[in-house]
Amino acid sequence: MPNEFTIIKTKVNKAKPDPNNLNFGTVFTDHMFLMNYSKDKGWHDGRVVPYGPICLDPAASVFHYGQEMFEGMKAYRSADGKTLLFRPGMNDKRAISSCERMCIPPLPEGLLTEAVKVLVKTDRDWIPDKEGTSLYIRPYIIATEPFLGVRDSYEYLFIIILSPVGPYYKGGLVPTRIYVEDKYVRSVPGGTGFVKAGGNYAVGLRSEYEARQSGYSQVLWLDGTERKYVEEIGTSNAFFVIDGEVITSPLTGSILPGITRDSVLCLLREWGNKVSEKKLSIQQVYDAYVQGKLEEVFASGTAAVISPVGELCWQDKKMLINGGNIGTISQKLYDELTAIQLGKKEDRFGWVEML
Ligand SMILES: *Cc1c(COP(=O)(O)O)cnc(C)c1O
């Protein structure tokens, strides 16, 4: 069922940004993808159009009750000029499960991937090729029915926008300072923590704001029930290396099943590292630190790939990790993942798709 998408090209191409000075998510390309849903037609009218404002009724239910979901992925330019996507099928499947949880009619399997490919092809000249740069892809669905009742909307808009981005951390892999959040929670079992739904990020803002005021760049979230077990770092998955064992939270429904997380686990297992997906309490992390066994902490996600943690602050206790330096495993994972994504290294897992 190849979808026929209409393509309407812009008449005025925008100036491209300086590839040496790219921020995260501030500049957008010439085109965007739109597709509508209505009860009688289902998903229909997929189209690439010039990038620009969209017109919505002020009563559109997304503005009132936040019925929406999003995805995040990247396109890369290889040294020989090819356009590469990293595991797009995983985003496609995750979007479907997010839609189901948010009571949004799911996109047919494969549609998100196809739409991403058509849009990225149209704007392929926007993929920067400088070291560490890429084209960030943001697919999302919003509830558009003008209706103030609280129920699932009967109308939706699926949108994809593209943004050329620089390396997440400008100075390279610089270890971050992380505050362990023990007051606020982001998700609980049975909630929406496993979904990329806007509301999850809105509830995290207060905590991240307060952490920033105290000089930390992100928070480490503890589980929402006991506030005891480590779950995620900001909007990334969290990994702890204790006495040679790499530990990350299991997928219990309150954390996001990251595609980078899955890729990290595959690589570590291939390399023969000891890897465990198990509950780990912040007390155990601290005890390991005191015993000199907390070797590395890092976060994984599409935006930054691997982000090493240099310091953890838990209540009045400060843990300086690996002397505040990047750990060996963090650096090796970053190098390997970025090399595969850019087509510099053999794609032995079948992760990379060429356009
Ligand atoms: C997006 C996200 C991640 C990372 O997922 P990737 O697929 O690796 O980008 C982790 N945690 C949260 C809360 C996220 O939103």
Side-chain angles (χ1 to χ4, degrees), residues 118-317:
V118 168
L119 182 63
V120 170
K121 267 190 197 156
T122 308
D123 277 342
R124 68 194 315 158
D125 291 350
W126 281 83
I127 310 173
D129 58 3
K130 219 185 147 267
E131 173 93 36
T133 65
S134 56
L135 186 68
Y136 186 80
I137 305 167
R138 169 54 57 86
Y140 60 109
I141 298 175
I142 52 174
T144 52
E145 186 187 351
F147 175 62
L148 293 185
V150 181
R151 64 146 166 76
D152 53 305
S153 172
Y154 294 164
E155 293 164 20
Y156 298 86
L157 188 59
F158 170 37
I159 308 173
I160 308 174
I161 54 175
L162 307 173
S163 173
V165 297
Y168 203 73
Y169 296 104
K170 283 230 160 107
L173 274 192
V174 178
T176 53
R177 299 182 69 216
I178 302 292
Y179 182 79
V180 181
E181 179 58 75
D182 59 0
K183 184 163 93 180
Y184 303 112
V185 301
R186 81 174 275 279
S187 87
V188 291
T192 56
F194 69 97
V195 172
K196 279 196 180 299
N200 288 346
Y201 304 84
V203 298
L205 295 178
R206 182 79 225 171
S207 162
E208 271 149 33
Y209 172 81
E210 289 180 17
R212 266 202 315 279
Q213 298 299 304
S214 320
Y216 294 91
S217 58
Q218 282 286 3
V219 299
L220 169 62
W221 294 106
L222 301 178
D223 76 281
T225 317
E226 298 182 70
R227 283 179 236 191
K228 192 171 156 190
Y229 299 102
V230 297
E231 292 208 326
E232 300 205 62
I233 295 174
T235 56
S236 313
N237 293 111
F239 289 82
F240 298 80
V241 187
I242 296 179
D243 205 13
E245 178 184 10
V246 187
I247 306 169
T248 194
S249 170
L251 301 178
T252 52
S254 52
I255 71 159
L256 203 285
I259 294 160
T260 321
R261 173 189 180 277
D262 186 81
S263 310
V264 162
L265 292 174
C266 286
L267 287 173
L268 290 171
R269 287 180 178 131
E270 182 198 41
W271 293 338
N273 289 71
K274 190 173 178 208
V275 183
S276 307
E277 293 173 71
K278 65 179 185 193
K279 282 188 166 187
L280 176 71
S281 70
I282 186 67
Q283 184 68 52
Q284 283 173 294
V285 172
Y286 185 67
D287 292 346
Y289 172 74
V290 171
Q291 293 160 17
K293 290 181 178 168
L294 179 60
E295 290 153 7
E296 294 182 41
V297 179
F298 60 90
S300 76
T302 296
V305 191
I306 299 293
S307 166
V309 175
E311 185 193 319
L312 273 181
C313 172
W314 178 39
Q315 295 162 348
D316 56 351
K317 303 179 254 311

